């Protein structure tokens, strides 16, 4: 239940087919998942009572309260959680008070804004839901925004656009800006601007002792490094300051291909070689369920592909670059000049809540051997393909070190890999996960062995798998800092980085 976003994409997002959510029953009721729950800790029985003495009654919720279920609910419904108490703060002092009380009782702390990044249940712990903290301050002269943790990207995009500016937003605009950024943040225009975490200049944080800290490159610099990529492991972010970009329009959209996936992959391979940093794209292969009413009858059981495009250069240049792909005659093509405020249309993420099974990794290159493996894993003749397999082009600014170093993991991968299935029925989880494992087994020689912090999924709860999101020396540094700032690992209801022994 981390303060993410995130970063993770769902099967519906990958396919860009919001209607499929309803068609497959992806909007699901919460399903208990006790095997992933946080163990109750002695002393938590008094937690709610102490919180209610310290905070206004309407900011503290327990089981039986009318708003309890609504406040614990999240976008991603793979895990149900029943915290001992929920705090819905109205300002940072509420958060500091709640953390001090939880720290006294050694109760685990979960942080949620929109709940896109669920990885563990907050059962028995304290859930801090930051959704009401909605402050945005734009400084047009400095091209910066100061954002509270309840702000989602659609709100920041609109606020920045009023000044001719734009944030480094991801494919989902209904996620928390701070959660997405704390996990690195892979923007739709990532090859042009780099990771969202690369552009943060200040972080305000409540640490594990309930102390309010202001982190900058020169003040608590080690913690400033850790929280940009280390997710919610080091405290509750109450505000960030981040750069904005002088961008009002881009050439973007998507193309749908209803056949010819092998030829499309080969063309895409050539297209991405030596490509300008102003062009960021992804390609998703969608295996349409045979019984899905969300697709026309002729497409059911077929293998489709969708190309997503975001080009920050001149429209005429963008059109020229896309000619080889357009020559394959996409069935739909809406790539055109658009205002940045329409950037959500490129990925067409659906409104939640949803329940999916997901896996992520990274590819060294899109060479011929990798193309063959992709086709075996997800192409028309694949044995048991997942619904969606996405490759997102990295490199460019994403491969470069930022001005202020951060904990975002290895930057040498050529493509991000994401695999997802809609999973409304928990009884089908094992079957879906076996199919996804088959994809990773087939692609094994092409994988780097790493993934990005924002793309850690419910599959990645173990320390071994979380470690994959970081370079070895960075992970060791993170565990050392965790010991210094959260030695009892209170912030562990997440993709946890444990304190060093």
């Amino acid at each position: 239940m981390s303060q993410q976003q995130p970063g993770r994409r769902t099967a519906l997002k990958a396919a860009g087919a919001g209607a499929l959510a309803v068609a497959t029953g992806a909007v699901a009721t919460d399903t208990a998942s006790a095997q992933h729950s946080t163990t109750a800790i002695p002393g938590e029985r008094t937690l709610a009572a102490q919180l209610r003495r310290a905070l206004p009654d309407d900011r503290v919720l327990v089981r039986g309260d009318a708003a309890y279920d609504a406040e614990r609910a999240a976008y991603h419904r793979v895990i149900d959680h029943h915290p001992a108490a929920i705090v819905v703060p109205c300002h940072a002092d509420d958060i500091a008070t709640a953390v001090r009380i939880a720290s006294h009782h050694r109760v685990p702390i979960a942080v949620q804004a929109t709940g896109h990044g669920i990885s563990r249940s907050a059962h028995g712990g304290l859930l801090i839901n930051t959704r009401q903290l909605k402050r945005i301050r734009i400084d047009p002269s400095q091209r910066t925004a100061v954002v509270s943790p309840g702000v989602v990207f659609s709100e920041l995009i609109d606020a920045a656009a009023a000044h001719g500016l734009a944030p480094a937003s991801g494919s989902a605009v209904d996620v928390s800006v701070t959660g997405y950024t704390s996990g690195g943040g892979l923007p739709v225009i990532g090859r042009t601007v780099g990771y969202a975490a690369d552009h943060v200049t200040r972080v305000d944080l409540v640490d594990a002792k309930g102390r309010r800290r202001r982190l900058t490159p020169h003040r608590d610099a080690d913690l400033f490094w850790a929280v940009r990529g280390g997710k919610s492991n080091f405290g509750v972010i109450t505000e960030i300051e981040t750069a904005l970009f002088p961008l009002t329009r881009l050439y973007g959209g998507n193309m749908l291909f209803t056949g010819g996936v092998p030829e499309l992959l080969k063309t895409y391979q050539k297209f991405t070689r030596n490509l300008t940093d102003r062009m960021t794209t992804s390609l998703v292969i969608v295996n349409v369920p045979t019984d899905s009413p969300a697709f026309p009858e002729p497409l059911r059981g077929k293998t489709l592909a969708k190309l997503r495009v975001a080009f920050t250069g001149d429209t005429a240049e963008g059109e020229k670059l896309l000619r080889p792909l357009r020559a394959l005659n996409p069935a739909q093509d809406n790539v055109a000049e658009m205002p940045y405020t329409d950037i959500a249309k490129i990925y067409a993420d659906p409104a939640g809540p949803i329940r999916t099974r997901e896996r992520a990794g990274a590819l060294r290159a899109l060479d011929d051997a990798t193309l063959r493996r992709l086709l075996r894993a997800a192409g028309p003749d694949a044995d048991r393909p997942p619904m969606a397999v996405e490759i997102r082009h990295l490199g460019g600014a994403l491969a470069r070190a930022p001005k202020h170093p951060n904990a975002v993991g290895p930057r040498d991968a050529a493509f991000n890999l994401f695999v997802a299935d809609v999973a409304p029925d928990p009884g089908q989880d094992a079957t879906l996960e076996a199919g996804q494992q088959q994809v990773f087994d087939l692609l094994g020689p092409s994988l780097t062995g790493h993934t990005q912090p924002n793309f850690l999924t419910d599959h990645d709860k173990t320390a071994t798998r979380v470690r994959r999101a970081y370079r070895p020396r960075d992970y060791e540094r993170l565990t050392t800092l965790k010991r210094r700032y959260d030695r009892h690992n209170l912030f562990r209801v997440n993709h946890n980085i444990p304190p060093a022994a």
Side-chain angles (χ1 to χ4, degrees):
M1 242 329 315
S2 62
Q3 190 183 7
Q4 308 169 34
Q5 42 302 299
R8 299 186 302 163
R9 304 284 74 87
T10 67
L12 299 178
K13 296 176 182 181
L20 197 55
V22 176
T24 61
V27 179
T29 57
D30 288 355
T31 302
S33 185
Q35 66 270 30
H36 297 317
S37 66
T38 303
T39 303
I41 294 176
E44 73 176 33
R45 298 179 186 87
T46 62
L47 178 67
Q50 291 196 15
L51 288 168
R52 280 186 159 152
R53 285 196 294 269
L55 296 168
D57 282 349
D58 61 348
R59 298 178 199 175
V60 182
L61 301 169
V62 297
R63 290 178 194 250
D65 289 341
Y68 177 84
D69 285 341
E71 295 296 347
R72 71 183 179 87
Y75 177 91
H76 200 355
R77 296 297 174 86
V78 72
I79 291 177
D80 183 23
H81 55 124
H82 294 82
I86 303 173
V87 168
V88 186
C90 289
H91 48 69
D93 286 341
D94 291 345
I95 296 175
T97 297
V99 171
R100 282 195 295 270
I101 293 171
S103 177
H104 176 75
H105 293 284
R106 304 255 180 110
V107 171
I109 303 168
V111 186
Q112 174 176 299
T114 59
H116 276 65
I118 286 179
S119 60
R120 294 181 185 273
S121 169
H123 179 75
L126 170 65
L127 171 63
I128 299 176
N129 189 323
T130 62
R131 67 174 182 81
Q132 290 190 2
L133 301 177
K134 288 280 193 182
R135 191 177 184 188
I136 302 174
R137 303 193 303 277
I138 306 293
D139 185 335
S141 63
Q142 296 298 313
R143 295 178 180 171
T144 59
V146 176
V147 182
S148 298
V151 175
V152 297
F153 263 110
S154 59
E155 296 164 333
L156 178 57
I157 288 169
D158 289 343
H163 303 280
L165 301 169
S169 53
S171 61
V173 298
D174 59 344
V175 304
S176 162
V177 175
T178 60
Y180 159 91
T181 304
S182 70
L186 180 56
V188 173
I189 56 171
R191 284 174 46 81
T192 304
V193 301
Y195 291 97
D198 297 347
H199 302 286
V200 175
T201 51
R202 171 171 64 82
V203 176
D204 287 2
L205 180 88
V206 173
D207 69 13
K209 293 184 178 180
R211 296 174 299 197
R212 295 183 61 177
R213 292 176 175 268
R214 173 156 292 185
L215 318 177
T216 73
H218 310 292
R219 182 176 181 178
D220 278 341
D222 53 357
L223 197 52
F224 180 67
W225 172 86
V227 299
R228 293 172 301 125
K231 306 178 84 169
S232 62
N233 276 281
F234 296 91
V236 186
I237 294 175
T238 60
E239 198 169 76
I240 65 168
E241 180 182 71
T242 186
L244 300 173
F245 302 91
L247 186 64
T248 59
R249 306 190 68 80
L250 71 160
Y251 181 66
N254 55 71
M255 299 181 191
L256 177 66
F257 298 84
T258 57
V261 171
E263 184 180 3
L264 173 61
L265 275 172
K266 194 69 177 176
T267 304
Y268 186 63
Q269 177 195 51
K270 295 177 182 177
F271 169 75
T272 54
R273 287 176 184 162
N274 303 314
L275 190 61
T276 172
D277 294 357
R278 290 174 293 172
M279 178 72 81
T280 306
T281 60
S282 70
L283 183 67
V284 59
I285 301 172
V286 182
N287 288 283
V288 182
T290 56
D291 58 350
S292 174
F295 289 86
E297 177 66 36
L299 297 181
R300 296 176 194 172
K302 303 293 185 181
T303 300
L304 316 179
K306 181 171 279 191
L307 175 73
R308 287 78 160 263
V309 176
F311 180 60
T312 58
D314 179 73
T315 295
E317 183 183 356
E319 290 177 343
K320 182 178 179 180
L321 288 169
L322 291 178
R323 283 176 189 168
L325 291 155
R326 284 203 164 108
L328 300 178
N329 299 315
Q332 296 177 11
D333 180 354
N334 64 14
V335 180
E337 187 173 348
M338 63 165 61
Y340 192 93
T341 50
D342 283 348
I343 197 168
K345 295 179 179 179
I346 295 176
Y347 278 74
D349 287 15
I354 56 178
R355 189 181 189 281
T356 61
R357 305 305 299 178
E358 306 166 348
R359 292 279 302 272
L363 299 173
R364 291 189 180 88
L366 197 60
D367 54 21
D368 291 344
T370 300
L371 288 186
R372 290 193 296 270
R373 292 171 187 135
L374 273 171
L375 287 171
R376 287 180 60 200
D381 299 322
D383 176 34
R384 188 171 49 181
M387 177 188 158
V389 176
E390 179 197 69
I391 53 173
R392 191 176 304 199
H393 193 200
L394 303 177
L398 296 164
R400 294 193 280 271
K403 178 180 179 181
H404 304 300
N406 55 46
V408 176
R411 296 172 181 249
D412 56 349
F415 289 83
N416 189 69
L417 172 69
F418 180 72
V419 178
D421 284 286
V422 176
D425 179 8
Q428 294 297 312
D429 284 356
T431 299
L432 298 177
E433 290 166 5
Q436 294 179 3
Q437 183 60 51
Q438 184 175 14
V439 172
F440 278 76
D441 290 342
L442 289 169
L443 284 168
S446 299
L447 297 173
T448 66
H450 296 285
T451 190
Q452 296 177 29
N454 260 129
F455 279 81
L456 291 169
T457 72
D458 177 59
H459 179 76
D460 301 310
K461 291 189 292 290
T462 67
T464 298
R465 300 198 68 82
V466 172
R467 182 188 289 264
R468 295 169 58 247
Y470 305 98
R471 292 176 294 186
R473 65 179 181 272
D474 287 346
Y475 184 79
E476 297 308 318
R477 182 181 179 188
L478 286 166
T479 63
T480 299
L481 292 172
K482 181 75 169 184
R483 180 177 61 194
R484 183 188 307 172
Y485 293 106
D486 184 13
R487 62 178 300 183
H488 299 299
N489 202 12
L490 298 181
F491 291 103
R492 63 179 181 270
V493 190
N494 49 27
H495 292 104
N496 190 233
I497 298 169

